[in-house]
Amino acid sequence: MLTFLSTLLFFGCLTGVTTVLFGFGGGFVTVPVVYGVLAATARQGADAMHVAVATSAAVMVVNAVAAALVQWRESRLRRAYVWPLAASIAVGAGAGSFAAALIGGTVLRLLFAAYLLVTITDSLLRKGFLSVAHRTHPKPLGRGTTTLGGIGIGLVAAGLGVGGSVMTVPLLRRRGLPMAEATAMANLLSVPVAVAGTLVYALAPTTPAGAGQLGYVDLTAGAVLLLGSLPTIAVVSRVTGRVPDRVHSVAYLVLLMVVLIVMVAMGV
C-alpha cells in the first residue's frame, strides 16, 4: 500500500508541473496513473476507468483554481478569450459527464487514446501550433467558436476527465497567443469542466461504492495527488514564463505522446 501511495505522491508532483506548464489541470497524468494503481491492486474491476476519470476531475478542480490564481497575478489571463468560452464549456461539460457515466470502461479508454492521437496528429500537421508569429493583437474568437466550439470542448473534456487543455491550447495558439498565455487560460477554462464532472461522478451510484469513495471519486487517491501537486504548482509558477515558446509547444506534444504510449501499454 505504501508503494502505491508513494507512486501517487510522485505523480501528484508531476501533475503540478503539467498543470502550470501545459494547462492540463492533471487529467492527462492522473487518469492513467489512477487507473494503473487500481488495476494493479485489483480494485474496482470494470469501474477502474470511471474511478480514474472521476478522481482526475476532482483533483483538477483544486489544481486548476490554484494555478489560475497564480497566473492571474502574473497577468497571463485575457478576459476577451476566457469568459466567452467559459459558459458554453460549462454547458457541454454537464452533458459530457452524464454521457461518460453511461459508457463502459473499455470504450472510455479507447476514446481517451483516440482523443490523444487526433490531437497530436492535428498539432503536428496543421500550421499554427508549434510556432506562431508574434502578434500585438491576436485574432479574436468567433461566435461559433465560443458557442458550439465551447460546448464541444466541454463534452469531450468532461467525458474523459482531461480538462480541455488539449482543445483550448491549440485553439488559442492558432489565434496568435503565446504558449504561456494559452496554457494559463486553459487552466481557468478547465474549472467548469472539472466542477461539472466531479458533481456528476460524486453523485453517481456505484456497484458497490468502495471504501474511501464518494460516488466514483477515490478520496484517498485524490488527497495524495493534491499533496504532491499543490506545492509543486507554487514553485513551478515562478519559472514558467521563462520557457521559450517553441520549447514549450514541443514539450506539450511530447508529453501527450508519452501519455498515449502509457495508455496503449496498459491495454487500451
Side-chain angles (χ1 to χ4, degrees), residues 79-97 141-159 163-164 167-168 171-172 188-194 196-197:
R79 294 183 61 183
Y81 292 90
V82 172
W83 303 123
L85 278 171
S88 55
I89 285 177
V91 172
S97 299
L141 296 171
R143 182 170 295 181
T145 300
T146 56
T147 52
L148 296 178
I151 291 172
I153 290 170
L155 278 167
V156 175
M167 300 176 79
T168 55
L171 171 65
L172 296 173
L188 186 55
L189 290 169
S190 292
V191 174
V193 172

Side-chain angles (χ1 to χ4, degrees), residues 2-267:
L2 184 60
T3 301
F4 293 117
L5 291 178
S6 299
T7 300
L8 288 173
L9 184 62
F10 169 77
F11 280 101
C13 294
L14 182 57
T15 294
V17 174
T18 61
T19 295
V20 176
L21 291 181
F22 307 117
F24 286 168
F28 282 99
V29 176
T30 55
V31 170
V33 169
V34 175
Y35 174 76
V37 168
L38 294 177
T41 55
R43 292 167 56 198
Q44 302 304 323
D47 282 341
M49 190 61 184
H50 285 108
V51 173
V53 171
T55 305
S56 168
V59 169
M60 200 184 309
V61 174
V62 182
N63 280 348
V65 169
L69 286 173
V70 172
Q71 290 157 338
W72 172 67
R73 295 190 199 105
E74 297 290 332
S75 300
R76 295 193 187 114
L77 303 179
R78 299 195 186 203
R79 294 183 61 183
Y81 292 90
V82 172
W83 303 123
L85 278 171
S88 55
I89 285 177
V91 172
S97 299
F98 278 109
L102 303 175
I103 298 173
T106 300
V107 174
L108 202 56
R109 292 197 302 277
L110 289 170
L111 288 174
F112 188 90
Y115 178 46
L116 284 171
L117 183 60
V118 169
T119 301
I120 292 167
T121 303
D122 178 70
S123 298
L124 287 172
L125 297 182
R126 265 212 302 166
K127 293 181 179 180
F129 180 81
L130 287 175
S131 62
V132 295
H134 175 72
R135 292 174 181 157
T136 305
H137 300 290
K139 294 179 181 178
L141 296 171
R143 182 170 295 181
T145 300
T146 56
T147 52
L148 296 178
I151 291 172
I153 290 170
L155 278 167
V156 175
L160 300 181
V162 294
S165 167
V166 175
M167 300 176 79
T168 55
V169 170
L171 171 65
L172 296 173
R173 284 287 281 171
R174 292 193 171 96
R175 292 302 186 275
L177 293 169
M179 279 294 290
E181 291 186 11
T183 54
M185 286 182 277
N187 272 315
L188 186 55
L189 290 169
S190 292
V191 174
V193 172
V195 170
T198 300
L199 288 175
V200 170
Y201 281 117
L203 299 175
T206 60
T207 54
Q213 275 186 226
L214 180 62
Y216 280 111
V217 180
D218 190 315
L219 299 177
T220 301
V224 176
L225 287 164
L226 288 172
L227 187 63
S229 67
L230 292 177
T232 307
I233 287 172
V235 173
V236 177
S237 295
R238 299 176 183 177
V239 301
T240 184
R242 304 174 190 173
V243 180
D245 190 76
R246 175 75 176 186
V247 173
H248 203 163
S249 59
V250 171
Y252 183 93
L253 289 182
V254 169
L255 182 59
L256 293 189
M257 292 176 190
V258 170
V259 175
L260 178 59
I261 291 169
V262 171
M263 290 298 292
V264 171
M266 289 194 309

